[in-house]
Amino acid sequence: MNTEKNIKTLIVKKPLKLDCGKTIKDFPIAYETYGSLNSKKDNAILIFHALTGDQFVTGINPATNKEGWWSYAVGPDKAIDTNKYFVICSNVIGGCMGSYGPSHKDPDQKIFGTNFPVITINDMVNAQYNLLDHFGIDKLFSITGGSMGGMQVLQFISNFPDKSKTVIPIATTSSHSAQNIAFNELGRQAITADSNWKDGNYTSKDTNPGKGLAVARMAAHITYLSKKGLQEKFGRKLQEREDLKFGFDADFQIESYLRYQGSVFVDRFDANSYLYITRAMDYFDLAKQFRGNLSEAFINTKAKFFIISFTSDWLYPTQENKDIVIALNSIGADVGFVEIESDKGHDSFLLDVPDFLNALKNFLDKSYEEN
Amino acid sequence: MKNEFQVIADLIEKDKKVLDVGCADGTLMKFLKDNKNINIRGLEISKEKVQECIAKGLTVIEGNAEKDLKQFPDKSFDYVVLSQTLQAFLNPELVLKELLRVGKKAIVTIPNFGYWKVRFHLLFKGTMPITKTLPDEWYNTPNLHMCTIKDFFHFVKSKDIKIFKSLALNNLNTSIINETNLGVKNLFADLGIFLIEK
C-alpha cells in the first residue's frame, strides 16, 4: 500500500495528549509540500484532507499513480497557486499514508489494529501543528480544506487563533449530524461484518476485509453525489449489454461504477483507518467544546474567514455551513460566504467547478495582496 | 461612480464599520474601503454579484436581507446602507426595523415615485412609469412597494425614527429636504437619501 521511499515524514518527539486520555510520542506525521516558502515565510497554506484523502494534494500521487485529490484546485496558476504559495498537507493521524495509525506497530512490535487509540479531529490538528515549528512558520497565510478537512480548519483556528491570517472551511459542518453519523456507521458495520476483518487483526492473519471496505466506500460514494448528477450521468443506462440479464450482475452502469469505485478504494486504503477516521468525524462537535456556543470557538481570532458551500451538497448542506457564518457574525468576525451553484453534490469541491475555483482564487489572491 | 454613492460616502466618516445591504457588485463598498478606510461588509442575494465582490477583494455574505439580517447583533455597525432596495422587499417595514437595530445609524435611499417625470408618464401616457431610476416594465420590475419621498418622510416620522439628514437628488444636484420644501422636493427629485437613527 505505501511506497515508503516517496513519503516524507516528521517524527514528533513531543508527547501529545489525546482526547481519549492516552498520550502518544515519537510518532510519525507524513507530509508533502508544493511550491516554495518565501524569505518572509508569509506565503504558507496548510491544507487539510478529507476522510479518504492523503498528503498528495496535486500532481501524481506516488502511491496510486493517479492525480492527487485536489489537482483541480492546487498547482501552478491554479486557484491555490503553487507558483505563489507554499502548500503543506499532511496525512491525518489514524490514516494510512505514513502518519501514525492503526497499521503501525505498538511498542511491543505488534500491529495496533483496534488497539490504536481512538483519535479526534482535535487530536489530528494538534498533531499537525508540529509542522509549523518544523518549517519555522510563525503564521500561516491560510488554512483550508473541504468536508473533514473543513472540520480540521475550524478546530485548528479555534485551537491556534493567531496562527493563520485567512481561514477557508469548505462544504463542512461544525457538528456531525445524525445523518452523517448514520452513514459512517453503515460503513463501519460493512467492514466489521466482513469475516476477514478478524477483529481488526487482518494483517497478522494475512487477510483483508476488502469486501466490507468496498461496500463502505460504495455507500459513502453515493452520499458524495447528487440525485440529479447521478441521473444525468447514468440514468438507467445499461452496462455493456443490450437488455436486462435477469440476474445479479451489474446490469446498470451505476452498479458497475460503484463496484469499480469500491474495488479501487480497497487497493489504496486501510479498513481500520476507515473505522478510526469516520469515528473522529462522528465525535466532532465544536460547539460542545464551548458549552454549546459555537461563537466562543472563534472569539480569540482576528482571522478573515471565507466559507463556501454547494447547492446540491446534501451531506454537509448549505445551512450547516451558514450556521458557522452566523456564529462568526454574532461576534463581529470578518466573514464572507458564498453558496456555489453545482449539481455535483458534496464532491463539487474536488471537481472542476469554475465558480468555486474562481471564488477561491480571488479570495486568496486579493487577501494576499492586502498582506 | 454615480452621484448617489458620492453623497452616501460623504455622509460616512473615516474608519467606521459599515454594512452595505444589497451591495450588488460592490462599487460603493470598494470606494468606501479604498478612500475612507471603512471596515465594510456586504450582504447580497445574487450569486453573480457576490462573485464580483469577491473578485474585488471585498467581504461579502450571500444572503437575503429579509432573513439574514437577524444574525447580526444589535448596533454592530456604525452605519448600515440600503441603496434603492427598500421598495423591493416583501416587508419593507420589517427590513427598516432590522437596519436600525443592526446599525447605530442607517442610510436609506429610495427612488422617488413622486418625481414629476413619473407623474407625467402616468398622467399623459397612461402606462406604468419608466425612468432612469425605475427602468423596468410593470411585469418584470423587482419593485413591490414603491413610495414617494413624502411617503417615506411621513413614515419614518410616524415610527419615531430620527432623521439626521434628508437629501434630494436630481441628476448632479443635491439639496436638503425639510418640512417646508417637502412638496417641491417630492416633485423635482428622482432620488431621496435619508440618514436615520432609532
Side-chain angles (χ1 to χ4, degrees), chain A residues 242-347:
Chain A
E242 294 295 307
D243 211 341
L244 302 177
K245 292 283 186 208
F246 294 90
F248 298 100
D249 272 352
D251 276 352
F252 296 100
Q253 276 187 12
I254 178 62
E255 294 175 295
S256 167
Y257 171 79
L258 281 180
R259 288 179 189 195
Y260 173 75
Q261 291 296 333
S263 71
V264 293
F265 184 63
V266 170
D267 293 337
R268 72 174 177 90
F269 214 84
D270 175 55
N272 284 335
S273 276
Y274 198 89
L275 301 182
Y276 276 90
I277 298 173
T278 55
R279 207 73 190 125
M281 294 166 83
D282 292 347
Y283 281 5
F284 186 62
D285 184 353
L286 190 54
K288 193 178 159 221
Q289 297 173 32
F290 294 89
R291 298 164 302 281
N293 184 353
L294 183 59
S295 299
E296 289 283 327
F298 310 115
I299 202 94
N300 294 320
T301 185
K302 292 196 168 60
K304 187 172 160 187
F305 287 76
F306 182 42
I307 293 166
I308 307 172
S309 73
F310 297 91
T311 50
S312 58
D313 184 349
W314 54 276
L315 197 59
Y316 299 99
T318 288
Q319 189 53 53
E320 291 185 23
N321 291 274
K322 266 184 118 169
D323 288 343
I324 305 163
V325 178
I326 291 167
L328 286 162
N329 271 325
S330 78
I331 50 168
D334 188 343
V335 55
F337 164 72
V338 63
E339 182 196 47
I340 303 290
E341 188 88 48
S342 162
D343 59 13
K344 293 175 172 152
H346 179 57
D347 261 356

Side-chain angles (χ1 to χ4, degrees), chain B residues 34-51:
Chain B
D34 292 349
N35 294 286
K36 298 198 127 184
N37 194 33
I38 299 283
N39 177 357
I40 188 149
R41 311 284 158 73
L43 182 67
E44 173 56 45
I45 199 165
S46 147
K47 290 186 192 303
E48 290 80 44
K49 297 279 197 277
V50 168
Q51 290 280 359

